[in-house]
Amino acid sequence: MSLQIQLVTGGYTRRPILKEVSFDVSDGELVGLIGLNGAGKSTTIKHIMGLLEPFEGNITLNGKTINEDSIEYRKNIGFVPETPVLYDEMTLKEHIEITAMAYGIEKEMAFKRAEPLLSLFRLKDRLEWFPSDFSKGMKQKVMIVCAFLIEPSLYVIDEPFLGLDPLAIRDLLKLMEERKQAGASILMSTHVLTNAEKICDSFVILHDGKVFAKGNLKELQLEFQMPGASLDEIYGRLADEEGFAV
Amino acid sequence: MTIQSLFKQRSSIHFKQLSRYMKYVLNDHFVLALLLILGAAGFGYSNYVQTIEQGAILPRLILLILMVGVVAGGTITTLMQQADIAFLLPLESEVIPVLKKGVLKSLLILAFPVAFVSAAAMPLLVATQGISFNVWPLFLVTSVLFKYIDLNFQFMSFFQSDVVKRGLYTHAGKIISLLGFTLSIFVELSIGLIFSLTIILIQFIYSKKMNQASNRLQWNDVIAKEENRQQKLYRFINLFTEVSFVESHPRRLKWLDKIIEFQSGKFPQPHYFYILRSFYRNPSYSGLVSRLVLIGVLLISFSTTIVLNLMLSVLFLYLIGFQLMPIYQQFKQNFYFQLYPIQETGKIKSIQRLITEVLAVVLVIFTLTGLARDIYSGASILLVGIIFILLFTRLYLPKRLKRMEQF
């Protein structure tokens, strides 16, 4: 069992945003975190990253909480944030170096791992460029390269598709599939439900800080009595019925 | 690459940038104005000190507020960046010592204003406490120690996950320095010093304990605080020269709506409509004007002669008008003004109108301050002020703005 979230209540101030959220991401599993803007997706991710502390409940990665061994915990997570955040004064190459340094990877090893990623995302001849001058999609690619070269046991990917070109989306999906096969767990939040449906093994639907439903597509279809429906349709129905849209 | 070299590089970039901007800040206008203000303030201050009797309470209260204010100003320079959350999380235990070092480095810089104000405070302390000037080192050390205590508390706040506790730590230094300076200023300097040393000892023991509790760094908070610190700095520099990374966080200020609507009139020009709202809702403009007006009113009411009165009121009208000019950049930053089907000349006209209106209100306030003394002061301030505003907004301003357009 890789990532376990048990009855987590938490938020930024004392007012809880998340209320008793529980779900797991097993080894080799890709879980889609679905929810409207403000449903608590990013807050959940911040708790997983240890940037916020739960008021109640706990989060374990490979059986350990962040308080037991924060370095080990963090080294096992590769994180792609929602908006690319990069250093203004560093080149792409230096971004790879700093990632290697932070995650304790040998420099040669890091570049060896980065190489196929860089060519996949057509960044190979931009190593000496400043990513802060890149377009949004290219910045996002840099974030993806840096997260994937860590080869962690858990990937946390926050809304990866916005700004990426169709080719890059396809490549990213393929990449995630590969890592999944290799045994990594992936938690991905997204609004792009068709992509999510294509690759996710199961879904966690958040609404108003609570887990509204979870399970794979079959289970969701069964639970909401919509056999054969797509994730988009189920979610749309849910949203209408529950008045999410308001 | 190591974490130390990374932060060293950051700090060299940061300070290089600052020193480049400092050249613009310390331009001839500003230095001249600063000297004039310092001179006038010093003159007024020395006159004022002579009227103070030993044991007077009010002057010491003002001093207390000033000392606490200067100690409360300034936060730890951590140079943390947004991207650190994505890249450096596993290095938390190596980042913490770097931040800890930042406490002392920041103290080295922030001790200067504290030292300056503590020196300026001495005549007042001498007059009210009947002590000699020789004890200044005592007061200086006490003041700097309070700044050190404040920075230590700020450092501790980096590890508090609970917002309320975090706020408590962030501001604890101010409360301690308020207590400490009350002892120094109203009881005896040495007691204030003993108090500060005691607090430092307690802090030291407590922080040792806290280390063992392995509290985790609140990355988001540390980064937000650093951004806040840099923004304040850049906003100040932006008054003198264009700084590319100033983000303003406008505030709604609902109570101003009526005034804004009244000033907009029924059919406002789009330029004026926008710039008026920028002015009121952006604290870097409206806050600046209110601060300068406050200082101006204080200096005018403390100055003794009509000539000084006139000089100060014109000087402050000029400063306010001059510092408001960068509001012109708002148009550059706003993409829509390149799309709207409206005349370009509206830009300069709207700034002219805004600055004229602001200066007119300021002049009324200065005139009233003058009137509080006698009718001649008031009348002469009003007359000279009107002439100055006309010259400034009709002749000088359009030329300056056109030049700004070229850059």
Side-chain angles (χ1 to χ4, degrees):
Chain A
M1 186 66 74
S2 188
L3 176 73
Q4 265 187 314
I5 298 177
Q6 289 161 331
L7 293 170
V8 165
T9 297
Y12 300 86
T13 55
R14 285 190 169 178
R15 195 170 61 89
I17 306 274
L18 300 181
K19 292 149 209 152
E20 303 190 336
V21 169
S22 299
F23 63 88
D24 303 331
V25 185
S26 320
D27 289 333
E29 190 188 25
L30 200 170
V31 174
L33 193 59
I34 315 286
L36 295 175
N37 297 331
K41 301 187 296 296
S42 292
T43 314
T44 306
I45 287 174
K46 283 197 178 114
H47 275 96
I48 296 171
M49 302 299 300
L51 294 168
L52 292 173
E53 209 146 318
F55 308 156
E56 273 164 62
N58 63 66
I59 300 173
T60 56
L61 181 60
N62 301 327
K64 276 193 180 139
T65 67
I66 190 167
N67 287 327
E68 286 168 53
D69 187 349
S70 72
I71 295 176
E72 196 48 36
Y73 181 98
R74 281 180 164 148
K75 273 191 177 164
N76 274 314
I77 305 181
F79 176 43
V80 180
E82 188 183 8
T83 26
V85 275
L86 293 155
Y87 296 109
D88 287 338
E89 61 282 330
M90 280 195 210
T91 62
L92 172 51
K93 198 172 157 213
E94 285 164 336
H95 276 86
I96 293 172
E97 279 176 42
I98 195 175
T99 309
M101 173 187 89
Y103 289 84
I105 304 165
E106 289 290 321
K107 208 164 131 186
E108 289 78 39
M109 184 59 144
F111 280 104
K112 218 175 107 193
R113 287 179 186 175
E115 213 198 89
L117 296 166
L118 290 168
S119 38
L120 182 66
F121 289 115
R122 288 168 299 282
L123 288 169
K124 227 175 159 182
D125 46 355
R126 310 238 170 172
L127 273 172
E128 301 298 332
W129 293 39
F130 285 119
S132 50
D133 296 334
F134 289 175
S135 70
K136 158 128 206 285
M138 277 169 70
K139 283 183 190 167
Q140 186 73 354
K141 287 177 184 174
V142 175
M143 301 305 301
I144 293 168
V145 169
C146 289
F148 276 75
L149 71 85
I150 304 165
E151 300 192 349
S153 65
L154 171 71
Y155 292 84
V156 176
I157 306 180
D158 198 355
E159 190 54 88
F161 302 114
L162 297 181
L164 287 185
D165 60 59
L167 220 58
I169 291 179
R170 193 198 62 195
D171 294 337
L172 175 62
L173 292 175
K174 212 173 78 193
L175 208 55
M176 285 160 67
E177 189 63 41
E178 272 172 33
R179 292 298 155 94
K180 208 178 77 177
Q181 297 301 334
S185 4
I186 306 178
L187 177 70
M188 173 182 78
S189 97
T190 183
H191 292 297
V192 187
L193 298 180
T194 43
N195 283 340
E197 186 176 334
K198 235 186 281 172
I199 57 162
C200 291
D201 301 310
S202 73
F203 306 92
V204 175
I205 298 178
L206 279 184
H207 176 60
D208 201 15
K210 291 184 204 123
V211 175
F212 189 79
K214 59 183 171 186
N216 59 30
L217 190 61
K218 279 254 158 55
E219 287 164 346
L220 290 179
Q221 286 168 347
L222 214 67
E223 188 177 343
F224 297 101
Q225 292 157 14
M226 295 174 72
S230 71
L231 184 63
D232 210 14
E233 284 163 342
I234 295 176
Y235 192 73
R237 169 81 71 82
L238 262 178
D240 289 343
E241 277 178 9
E242 294 302 317
F244 283 11
V246 193
Chain B
M1 200 189 307
T2 62
I3 198 90
Q4 283 81 15
S5 70
L6 177 74
F7 275 89
K8 208 175 254 173
Q9 186 198 10
R10 264 186 215 182
S11 120
S12 92
I13 291 174
H14 181 66
F15 286 105
K16 217 180 270 172
Q17 212 160 34
L18 281 188
S19 68
R20 216 184 57 215
Y21 282 127
M22 268 315 167
K23 266 185 265 169
Y24 293 100
V25 173
L26 298 173
N27 62 22
D28 308 343
H29 294 296
F30 184 68
V31 171
L32 199 71
L34 202 68
L35 284 178
L36 262 170
I37 292 174
L38 272 182
F43 184 67
Y45 179 53
S46 71
N47 281 342
Y48 176 65
V49 166
Q50 278 160 20
T51 65
I52 294 174
E53 284 164 26
Q54 195 169 333
I57 299 291
L58 182 71
R60 286 195 279 183
L61 267 180
I62 298 172
L63 181 64
L64 178 66
I65 294 168
L66 264 175
M67 288 312 301
V68 174
V70 74
V71 164
T75 52
I76 304 173
T77 307
T78 60
L79 299 178
M80 294 277 277
Q81 297 179 9
Q82 273 296 341
D84 292 341
I85 286 187
F87 290 93
L88 295 185
L89 279 187
L91 292 185
E92 187 171 298
S93 55
E94 289 179 48
V95 170
I96 292 171
V98 178
L99 299 185
K100 180 91 211 184
K101 246 190 245 161
V103 172
L104 281 177
K105 281 187 188 163
S106 307
L107 181 67
L108 224 56
I109 297 170
L110 294 169
F112 279 99
V114 173
F116 177 79
V117 177
S118 80
M122 278 319 284
L124 230 168
L125 277 179
V126 169
T128 50
Q129 290 193 347
I131 46 176
S132 100
F133 273 100
N134 298 335
V135 293
W136 176 55
L138 206 67
F139 190 52
L140 173 71
V141 169
T142 313
S143 309
V144 173
L145 283 180
F146 282 130
K147 184 69 230 175
Y148 181 55
I149 291 170
D150 176 52
L151 291 174
N152 270 337
F153 274 124
Q154 285 184 36
F155 180 74
M156 290 181 195
S157 81
F158 291 168
F159 299 89
Q160 305 301 320
S161 65
D162 183 276
V163 258
V164 177
K165 263 195 192 163
R166 196 191 302 151
L168 220 60
Y169 275 97
T170 310
H171 298 295
K174 290 160 200 153
I175 297 160
I176 294 289
S177 69
L178 178 69
L179 289 175
F181 278 123
T182 308
L183 291 175
S184 280
I185 294 170
F186 285 98
V187 185
E188 213 185 288
L189 290 186
S190 52
I191 294 184
L193 181 63
I194 292 168
F195 178 74
S196 67
L197 288 170
T198 317
I199 296 287
I200 285 183
L201 191 69
I202 295 171
Q203 252 183 352
F204 181 73
I205 295 168
Y206 187 71
S207 74
K208 276 268 173 297
K209 241 187 185 168
M210 215 172 85
N211 275 346
Q212 285 153 6
S214 84
N215 277 298
R216 268 208 324 283
L217 189 65
Q218 300 298 308
W219 291 73
N220 280 318
D221 176 64
V222 177
I223 290 167
K225 276 179 178 153
E226 176 65 11
E227 278 181 349
N228 205 344
R229 186 192 72 83
Q230 294 195 7
Q231 282 302 316
K232 269 190 202 157
L233 205 61
Y234 288 132
R235 222 176 286 151
F236 169 73
I237 297 170
N238 198 42
L239 299 173
F240 303 90
T241 174
E242 201 168 334
V243 178
S244 45
F245 13 74
V246 170
E247 286 166 35
S248 51
H249 295 285
R251 263 176 280 170
R252 176 82 165 81
L253 303 177
K254 226 172 167 185
W255 54 276
L256 280 172
D257 281 3
K258 282 258 153 36
I259 302 177
I260 293 176
E261 225 162 273
F262 169 76
Q263 221 175 324
S264 283
K266 263 197 181 135
F267 304 104
Q269 297 297 309
H271 287 118
Y272 183 69
F273 185 91
Y274 172 64
I275 213 73
L276 189 66
R277 281 157 182 79
S278 305
F279 168 72
Y280 279 117
R281 290 182 185 159
N282 194 329
S284 54
Y285 302 120
S286 46
L288 166 88
V289 171
S290 32
R291 277 194 296 272
L292 280 177
V293 168
L294 196 72
I295 299 172
V297 165
L298 280 177
L299 286 180
I300 291 172
S301 48
F302 277 115
S303 73
T304 37
T305 62
I306 288 193
V307 183
L308 204 58
N309 261 333
L310 283 177
M311 271 172 55
L312 282 171
S313 48
V314 168
L315 177 70
F316 273 87
L317 285 174
Y318 169 75
L319 278 180
I320 292 169
F322 183 78
Q323 309 283 46
L324 262 185
M325 280 195 290
I327 203 174
Y328 191 56
Q329 290 159 12
Q330 290 281 334
F331 289 126
K332 264 193 217 166
Q333 284 159 15
N334 191 318
F335 170 68
Y336 289 107
F337 281 95
Q338 291 162 19
L339 296 182
Y340 288 152
I342 44 176
Q343 280 208 320
E344 277 284 293
T345 50
K347 284 190 199 171
I348 289 185
K349 277 199 186 128
S350 65
I351 304 278
Q352 248 180 331
R353 181 170 161 194
L354 177 76
I355 293 187
T356 311
E357 285 169 356
V358 170
L359 290 186
V361 173
V362 174
L363 181 60
V364 169
I365 296 172
F366 285 172
T367 305
L368 289 176
T369 315
L371 276 179
R373 183 190 310 277
D374 59 58
I375 194 146
Y376 297 111
S377 280
S380 52
I381 287 177
L382 183 65
L383 191 72
V384 175
I386 289 175
I387 296 170
F388 171 79
I389 292 176
L390 284 176
L391 289 174
F392 184 83
T393 58
R394 304 298 120 173
L395 291 177
Y396 179 69
L397 192 62
K399 266 189 210 146
R400 272 299 293 222
L401 292 183
K402 265 188 202 131
R403 241 178 59 198
M404 271 168 100
E405 180 74 343
Q406 284 159 11
F407 288 109

PDB file of all heavy atoms in Angstrom, chain B residues 8 62 101 173 217 221 243 281 294 306 320 335 340 351 376 395:
ATOM      1  N   LYS B   8      23.756  31.527  -1.695  1.00  0.00           N
ATOM      2  CA  LYS B   8      24.772  32.560  -1.868  1.00  0.00           C
ATOM      3  C   LYS B   8      24.550  33.282  -3.195  1.00  0.00           C
ATOM      4  O   LYS B   8      24.596  34.498  -3.283  1.00  0.00           O
ATOM      5  CB  LYS B   8      26.161  31.923  -1.819  1.00  0.00           C
ATOM      6  CG  LYS B   8      27.238  32.876  -1.312  1.00  0.00           C
ATOM      7  CD  LYS B   8      28.563  32.156  -1.167  1.00  0.00           C
ATOM      8  CE  LYS B   8      28.891  31.890   0.290  1.00  0.00           C
ATOM      9  NZ  LYS B   8      30.074  31.045   0.445  1.00  0.00           N
ATOM     10  N   ILE B  62       5.598  59.568  22.781  1.00  0.00           N
ATOM     11  CA  ILE B  62       5.877  59.634  21.341  1.00  0.00           C
ATOM     12  C   ILE B  62       7.136  58.839  21.022  1.00  0.00           C
ATOM     13  O   ILE B  62       7.185  58.048  20.076  1.00  0.00           O
ATOM     14  CB  ILE B  62       6.044  61.102  20.886  1.00  0.00           C
ATOM     15  CG1 ILE B  62       4.745  61.868  21.132  1.00  0.00           C
ATOM     16  CG2 ILE B  62       6.431  61.172  19.414  1.00  0.00           C
ATOM     17  CD1 ILE B  62       4.855  63.360  20.903  1.00  0.00           C
ATOM     18  N   LYS B 101      20.737  31.440   9.627  1.00  0.00           N
ATOM     19  CA  LYS B 101      21.801  32.407   9.379  1.00  0.00           C
ATOM     20  C   LYS B 101      21.217  33.736   8.929  1.00  0.00           C
ATOM     21  O   LYS B 101      21.746  34.800   9.219  1.00  0.00           O
ATOM     22  CB  LYS B 101      22.751  31.874   8.301  1.00  0.00           C
ATOM     23  CG  LYS B 101      24.145  31.594   8.814  1.00  0.00           C
ATOM     24  CD  LYS B 101      25.071  31.322   7.639  1.00  0.00           C
ATOM     25  CE  LYS B 101      25.582  29.901   7.671  1.00  0.00           C
ATOM     26  NZ  LYS B 101      26.089  29.451   6.373  1.00  0.00           N
ATOM     27  N   GLY B 173       7.543  39.801  19.085  1.00  0.00           N
ATOM     28  CA  GLY B 173       8.666  40.706  19.257  1.00  0.00           C
ATOM     29  C   GLY B 173       8.231  42.141  19.481  1.00  0.00           C
ATOM     30  O   GLY B 173       8.869  42.890  20.223  1.00  0.00           O
ATOM     31  N   LEU B 217       9.026  23.060   8.826  1.00  0.00           N
ATOM     32  CA  LEU B 217       9.011  24.377   8.206  1.00  0.00           C
ATOM     33  C   LEU B 217       7.703  24.580   7.432  1.00  0.00           C
ATOM     34  O   LEU B 217       7.274  23.708   6.700  1.00  0.00           O
ATOM     35  CB  LEU B 217      10.203  24.464   7.245  1.00  0.00           C
ATOM     36  CG  LEU B 217      10.521  25.821   6.644  1.00  0.00           C
ATOM     37  CD1 LEU B 217      10.949  26.780   7.732  1.00  0.00           C
ATOM     38  CD2 LEU B 217      11.628  25.689   5.610  1.00  0.00           C
ATOM     39  N   ASP B 221       4.194  29.664   4.063  1.00  0.00           N
ATOM     40  CA  ASP B 221       4.197  30.885   4.849  1.00  0.00           C
ATOM     41  C   ASP B 221       5.519  31.642   4.697  1.00  0.00           C
ATOM     42  O   ASP B 221       5.534  32.855   4.510  1.00  0.00           O
ATOM     43  CB  ASP B 221       3.940  30.528   6.312  1.00  0.00           C
ATOM     44  CG  ASP B 221       4.031  31.747   7.207  1.00  0.00           C
ATOM     45  OD1 ASP B 221       3.193  32.648   7.017  1.00  0.00           O
ATOM     46  OD2 ASP B 221       4.934  31.807   8.058  1.00  0.00           O
ATOM     47  N   VAL B 243      10.036  49.411 -11.727  1.00  0.00           N
ATOM     48  CA  VAL B 243      10.509  48.103 -11.312  1.00  0.00           C
ATOM     49  C   VAL B 243       9.585  47.074 -11.934  1.00  0.00           C
ATOM     50  O   VAL B 243       8.378  47.167 -11.809  1.00  0.00           O
ATOM     51  CB  VAL B 243      10.482  47.954  -9.781  1.00  0.00           C
ATOM     52  CG1 VAL B 243      10.932  46.572  -9.376  1.00  0.00           C
ATOM     53  CG2 VAL B 243      11.356  48.992  -9.135  1.00  0.00           C
ATOM     54  N   ARG B 281      -7.539  52.455  -4.778  1.00  0.00           N
ATOM     55  CA  ARG B 281      -7.563  51.072  -4.304  1.00  0.00           C
ATOM     56  C   ARG B 281      -6.186  50.455  -4.219  1.00  0.00           C
ATOM     57  O   ARG B 281      -6.023  49.362  -3.702  1.00  0.00           O
ATOM     58  CB  ARG B 281      -8.449  50.236  -5.223  1.00  0.00           C
ATOM     59  CG  ARG B 281      -9.876  50.641  -5.030  1.00  0.00           C
ATOM     60  CD  ARG B 281     -10.811  49.845  -5.862  1.00  0.00           C
ATOM     61  NE  ARG B 281     -12.153  50.373  -5.703  1.00  0.00           N
ATOM     62  CZ  ARG B 281     -13.119  50.168  -6.569  1.00  0.00           C
ATOM     63  NH1 ARG B 281     -12.891  49.478  -7.655  1.00  0.00           N
ATOM     64  NH2 ARG B 281     -14.309  50.670  -6.351  1.00  0.00           N
ATOM     65  N   LEU B 294       0.497  63.270   6.140  1.00  0.00           N
ATOM     66  CA  LEU B 294       0.622  63.231   7.597  1.00  0.00           C
ATOM     67  C   LEU B 294       1.946  63.855   8.043  1.00  0.00           C
ATOM     68  O   LEU B 294       1.985  64.722   8.934  1.00  0.00           O
ATOM     69  CB  LEU B 294       0.530  61.782   8.058  1.00  0.00           C
ATOM     70  CG  LEU B 294       0.271  61.602   9.537  1.00  0.00           C
ATOM     71  CD1 LEU B 294      -1.162  61.998   9.864  1.00  0.00           C
ATOM     72  CD2 LEU B 294       0.535  60.167   9.954  1.00  0.00           C
ATOM     73  N   ILE B 306       6.906  81.620   8.965  1.00  0.00           N
ATOM     74  CA  ILE B 306       6.082  81.535   7.764  1.00  0.00           C
ATOM     75  C   ILE B 306       6.896  81.007   6.585  1.00  0.00           C
ATOM     76  O   ILE B 306       6.418  80.192   5.800  1.00  0.00           O
ATOM     77  CB  ILE B 306       5.469  82.917   7.422  1.00  0.00           C
ATOM     78  CG1 ILE B 306       4.382  83.253   8.447  1.00  0.00           C
ATOM     79  CG2 ILE B 306       4.888  82.927   6.016  1.00  0.00           C
ATOM     80  CD1 ILE B 306       3.497  84.401   8.073  1.00  0.00           C
ATOM     81  N   ILE B 320       4.587  64.889  -3.314  1.00  0.00           N
ATOM     82  CA  ILE B 320       3.392  64.086  -3.580  1.00  0.00           C
ATOM     83  C   ILE B 320       3.129  64.021  -5.080  1.00  0.00           C
ATOM     84  O   ILE B 320       2.904  62.948  -5.642  1.00  0.00           O
ATOM     85  CB  ILE B 320       2.174  64.655  -2.825  1.00  0.00           C
ATOM     86  CG1 ILE B 320       2.372  64.459  -1.321  1.00  0.00           C
ATOM     87  CG2 ILE B 320       0.888  63.977  -3.269  1.00  0.00           C
ATOM     88  CD1 ILE B 320       1.382  65.205  -0.469  1.00  0.00           C
ATOM     89  N   PHE B 335      -3.433  45.949 -20.621  1.00  0.00           N
ATOM     90  CA  PHE B 335      -3.495  45.566 -22.012  1.00  0.00           C
ATOM     91  C   PHE B 335      -4.677  46.210 -22.748  1.00  0.00           C
ATOM     92  O   PHE B 335      -4.586  46.573 -23.913  1.00  0.00           O
ATOM     93  CB  PHE B 335      -3.597  44.040 -22.019  1.00  0.00           C
ATOM     94  CG  PHE B 335      -3.900  43.418 -23.332  1.00  0.00           C
ATOM     95  CD1 PHE B 335      -2.973  43.470 -24.353  1.00  0.00           C
ATOM     96  CD2 PHE B 335      -5.100  42.762 -23.537  1.00  0.00           C
ATOM     97  CE1 PHE B 335      -3.234  42.866 -25.555  1.00  0.00           C
ATOM     98  CE2 PHE B 335      -5.373  42.160 -24.739  1.00  0.00           C
ATOM     99  CZ  PHE B 335      -4.434  42.221 -25.752  1.00  0.00           C
ATOM    100  N   TYR B 340      -8.807  49.622 -26.647  1.00  0.00           N
ATOM    101  CA  TYR B 340      -9.961  50.512 -26.639  1.00  0.00           C
ATOM    102  C   TYR B 340      -9.892  51.533 -27.776  1.00  0.00           C
ATOM    103  O   TYR B 340      -8.826  52.098 -28.043  1.00  0.00           O
ATOM    104  CB  TYR B 340     -10.040  51.283 -25.325  1.00  0.00           C
ATOM    105  CG  TYR B 340     -10.440  50.466 -24.133  1.00  0.00           C
ATOM    106  CD1 TYR B 340     -10.011  50.828 -22.861  1.00  0.00           C
ATOM    107  CD2 TYR B 340     -11.249  49.346 -24.265  1.00  0.00           C
ATOM    108  CE1 TYR B 340     -10.364  50.093 -21.748  1.00  0.00           C
ATOM    109  CE2 TYR B 340     -11.603  48.608 -23.152  1.00  0.00           C
ATOM    110  CZ  TYR B 340     -11.159  48.969 -21.905  1.00  0.00           C
ATOM    111  OH  TYR B 340     -11.513  48.245 -20.811  1.00  0.00           O
ATOM    112  N   ILE B 351      -4.157  61.821 -15.971  1.00  0.00           N
ATOM    113  CA  ILE B 351      -3.171  61.931 -14.883  1.00  0.00           C
ATOM    114  C   ILE B 351      -3.123  63.366 -14.380  1.00  0.00           C
ATOM    115  O   ILE B 351      -3.087  63.620 -13.176  1.00  0.00           O
ATOM    116  CB  ILE B 351      -1.763  61.537 -15.380  1.00  0.00           C
ATOM    117  CG1 ILE B 351      -1.785  60.147 -15.976  1.00  0.00           C
ATOM    118  CG2 ILE B 351      -0.758  61.640 -14.255  1.00  0.00           C
ATOM    119  CD1 ILE B 351      -1.696  59.038 -15.017  1.00  0.00           C
ATOM    120  N   TYR B 376      -2.336  84.621   8.405  1.00  0.00           N
ATOM    121  CA  TYR B 376      -1.336  84.906   7.365  1.00  0.00           C
ATOM    122  C   TYR B 376      -0.702  83.627   6.839  1.00  0.00           C
ATOM    123  O   TYR B 376      -0.522  83.447   5.641  1.00  0.00           O
ATOM    124  CB  TYR B 376      -0.264  85.853   7.914  1.00  0.00           C
ATOM    125  CG  TYR B 376      -0.829  87.184   8.311  1.00  0.00           C
ATOM    126  CD1 TYR B 376      -0.898  87.562   9.651  1.00  0.00           C
ATOM    127  CD2 TYR B 376      -1.331  88.067   7.335  1.00  0.00           C
ATOM    128  CE1 TYR B 376      -1.437  88.770  10.024  1.00  0.00           C
ATOM    129  CE2 TYR B 376      -1.888  89.284   7.721  1.00  0.00           C
ATOM    130  CZ  TYR B 376      -1.942  89.632   9.059  1.00  0.00           C
ATOM    131  OH  TYR B 376      -2.485  90.816   9.425  1.00  0.00           O
ATOM    132  N   LEU B 395       2.576  72.782 -16.673  1.00  0.00           N
ATOM    133  CA  LEU B 395       3.825  72.891 -17.429  1.00  0.00           C
ATOM    134  C   LEU B 395       4.724  71.671 -17.282  1.00  0.00           C
ATOM    135  O   LEU B 395       5.119  71.032 -18.241  1.00  0.00           O
ATOM    136  CB  LEU B 395       4.592  74.148 -16.988  1.00  0.00           C
ATOM    137  CG  LEU B 395       3.952  75.475 -17.370  1.00  0.00           C
ATOM    138  CD1 LEU B 395       4.763  76.631 -16.828  1.00  0.00           C
ATOM    139  CD2 LEU B 395       3.847  75.575 -18.893  1.00  0.00           C
TER     140      LEU B 395
END
